[in-house]
Amino acid sequence: MTGSTRHHVVIVGGGVAGLEIASALGRRWRGGSAATDKPVVTLVDCDSAHVWKPMLHTIAAGTRDVSQQQTTYIAQAKDAGFTFQPGALCGLDRRVREIALAPLHAPDGRLLIPARRLPYDTLILALGSQANDFGTPGVAEHCWKIDSRLQADAFNQEVRLRILQCLAQDMSLSIAIVGGGATGVELAAELVQLTELAVGYGARGLAERISITLIESSPGLLAAFPDDISAAARARLEALGIRVMVGTRVSAAEPDAFVLGDGSRVPAALKVWAAGVKGAELQRGLDGLEVGRGNQLLVRPSLQTTLDARIFALGDCASLTLPGAARPLAPTAQVAHQQAQHVIRHLPDAIERGAPIPDMAYRNFGALVSLGDYDAFGSLGKFGLFKGVTFRGTLAQLSHAWLYRSHQARLHGFWRGGLMWLVDRINSRIRARIRLD
């Protein structure tokens, strides 16, 4: 992988993995020029800012303000020493080593940046994932999704408008969420918290007018967690007034309801689809790269794609089955972070000295789920002295918060990340606890 002058590393996708890699490698090679022969790093994303994906449900509910929690790519590029290019990937030419970026338009349709091509020597695809509607009729037309910062913010704007309408016209508001994984469970709890806090700001009677239903096709919630956590989370949600329906298949979405497999209907003015995971349809047409189920790019244990060693894929957009494992790694922030650290650790030696990329060693440290201020649950993975242990309450909430603060520290450095934590603590005392604008 040794290259010519100014080896160009292009990273597509500014999520957990992509932004961590761009920040770390940008700082390593900061100040490179043609004279120094240092590699240059470019990050490409169709959005303008990054939000830690496990926090999107709080942005969607409005219990956190997106403007306080986002990292703008241009500012991060200046701080970390990489280049940011706005745009959406729309094609790949492996023969000439170029990616194609779609034209960028303003909201009113004006062309801002025409279609263009960007050369690379090493390409890192970290395109993330999206909810999988499995072809269910009506989902695309009638359901909200919260797979990105923009989608979460758009849903929050709609929730606030519906609440205002509910209060002004003495109406009820029914919300239904499909998907009993971490996203659906956490969103349901945050919406209850939003309602309770809104009542404290003067929205009297709102709690009685809002109903929340959580629908899951599996026999229990949180399939990735042990059974005791699944049962405890369900009991806590039901205690909060949420209607939980498990073992229930949705066959269609209509403007005002979900239609179930038995033909019955669950009325819902607001419908959220948070079930399933798949890669973007674009990944099936990336110049012949191999894809598996759910449009995910197939990669070797080194994280290089199966057909092209110059192209890496990681995070939710990739499918990696480690030797001896029966299933691919789960599409979680934990996996994305460990894969990013593997690339950060080994790619510089590959570029600078031609060293081979070793296989990744994954350690399952467990999983966490937070029900807002009400509760949290955690399970330790298959690594460490206390493997398989489950815990809940304050310890789980602190562990969940620590994951986010660790991510901030990796992006911004220990001291600046600590200042961000302090600012958040101050804002929690002097600003409204929900978004009211």
Side-chain angles (χ1 to χ4, degrees):
M1 293 181 67
T2 54
S4 59
T5 300
R6 304 296 282 154
H7 187 107
H8 198 176
V9 178
V10 175
I11 304 163
V12 184
V16 170
L19 192 55
E20 286 189 9
I21 294 171
S23 299
L25 297 186
R27 290 189 176 101
R28 179 187 178 101
W29 294 320
R30 185 195 299 273
S33 65
T36 62
D37 199 28
K38 286 185 178 180
V40 61
V41 179
T42 298
L43 176 68
V44 177
D45 200 282
C46 56
D47 199 354
S48 61
H50 161 83
V51 170
W52 191 52
K53 192 169 184 178
M55 185 180 283
L56 286 178
H57 65 281
T58 66
I59 305 299
T63 50
R64 284 183 184 263
D65 191 336
V66 63
S67 64
Q68 296 179 48
Q69 304 303 328
Q70 65 189 12
T71 298
T72 56
Y73 292 126
I74 291 177
Q76 183 68 7
K78 178 180 181 297
D79 177 67
F82 62 86
T83 301
F84 172 63
Q85 286 276 0
L89 179 70
C90 65
L92 168 67
D93 189 330
R94 293 193 287 130
R95 184 182 61 83
V96 297
R97 299 203 297 274
E98 287 183 342
I99 60 170
L101 301 181
L104 190 64
H105 294 87
D108 60 6
R110 285 176 297 163
L111 178 65
L112 299 179
I113 304 175
R116 59 208 189 279
R117 302 182 75 84
L118 189 64
Y120 69 85
D121 294 295
T122 298
L123 177 63
I124 300 173
L125 299 174
L127 296 164
S129 64
Q130 59 194 49
N132 190 350
D133 62 18
F134 306 103
T136 306
V139 172
E141 296 83 2
H142 305 304
C143 292
W144 295 84
K145 297 180 181 179
I146 55 171
D147 299 317
S148 68
R149 180 187 74 103
L150 294 177
Q151 289 180 346
D153 190 46
F155 176 74
N156 176 249
Q157 293 181 42
E158 183 67 18
V159 167
R160 289 183 286 122
L161 290 174
R162 294 296 185 105
I163 287 177
L164 179 62
Q165 186 181 42
C166 177
L167 293 170
Q169 300 183 22
D170 194 21
M171 299 170 56
S172 62
L173 175 59
S174 55
I175 304 173
I177 305 165
V178 175
T183 299
V185 166
E186 291 179 327
L187 177 61
E190 291 289 338
L191 288 171
V192 173
Q193 186 168 323
L194 167 69
T195 303
E196 291 190 353
L197 292 172
V199 170
Y201 285 105
R204 296 179 180 176
L206 180 63
E208 292 75 22
R209 298 175 186 176
I210 291 184
S211 63
I212 301 172
T213 302
L214 180 62
I215 306 171
E216 167 59 35
S217 61
S218 299
L221 303 178
L222 300 172
F225 288 77
D227 291 342
D228 60 335
I229 288 182
S230 174
R234 177 178 179 177
R236 194 71 180 95
L237 291 177
E238 291 178 333
L240 293 173
I242 297 168
R243 180 189 181 193
V244 179
M245 304 175 67
V246 297
T248 304
R249 185 178 65 87
V250 172
S251 62
E254 296 180 345
D256 59 351
F258 280 118
V259 180
L260 304 183
D262 61 4
S264 61
R265 300 169 79 252
V266 176
L270 277 179
K271 294 168 293 300
V272 180
W273 192 274
V277 175
K278 68 175 183 178
E281 293 295 331
L282 164 78
Q283 293 179 183
R284 287 201 170 275
L286 284 179
D287 199 9
L289 293 180
E290 283 191 297
V291 296
R293 295 181 60 185
N295 300 337
Q296 292 175 304
L297 295 164
L298 299 184
V299 296
R300 306 168 189 165
S302 63
L303 304 182
Q304 294 162 297
T305 54
T306 55
L307 299 182
D308 195 325
R310 291 181 176 271
I311 301 177
F312 294 74
L314 58 158
D316 292 2
C317 78
S319 177
L320 170 60
T321 303
L322 292 173
R327 296 181 179 180
L329 294 177
T332 64
Q334 176 188 178
V335 170
H337 162 64
Q338 290 192 38
Q339 291 180 335
Q341 293 305 303
H342 182 79
V343 171
I344 291 166
R345 189 177 302 115
H346 298 291
L347 184 60
D349 284 343
I351 292 174
E352 296 166 357
R353 288 180 282 278
I357 302 288
D359 291 350
M360 174 190 173
Y362 172 70
R363 293 180 173 87
N364 181 2
F365 292 105
L368 293 162
V369 62
S370 173
L371 306 187
D373 290 344
Y374 304 112
D375 212 339
F377 304 90
S379 67
L380 299 183
K382 300 178 180 179
F383 176 80
L385 180 63
F386 301 100
K387 59 184 178 182
V389 172
T390 61
F391 55 101
R392 67 182 295 180
T394 302
L395 178 60
Q397 288 176 325
L398 290 174
S399 299
H400 196 273
W402 174 251
L403 290 179
Y404 177 45
R405 299 307 171 187
S406 299
H407 175 65
Q408 284 186 312
R410 287 189 291 270
L411 294 184
H412 307 291
F414 177 80
W415 294 110
R416 189 174 177 189
L419 287 174
M420 289 180 169
W421 171 83
L422 179 60
V423 168
D424 278 350
R425 297 297 296 171
I426 294 172
N427 281 334
S428 70
R429 297 291 187 270
I430 64 175
R431 301 188 63 166
R433 293 192 61 196
I434 57 175
R435 188 173 174 185
L436 298 172
D437 60 317

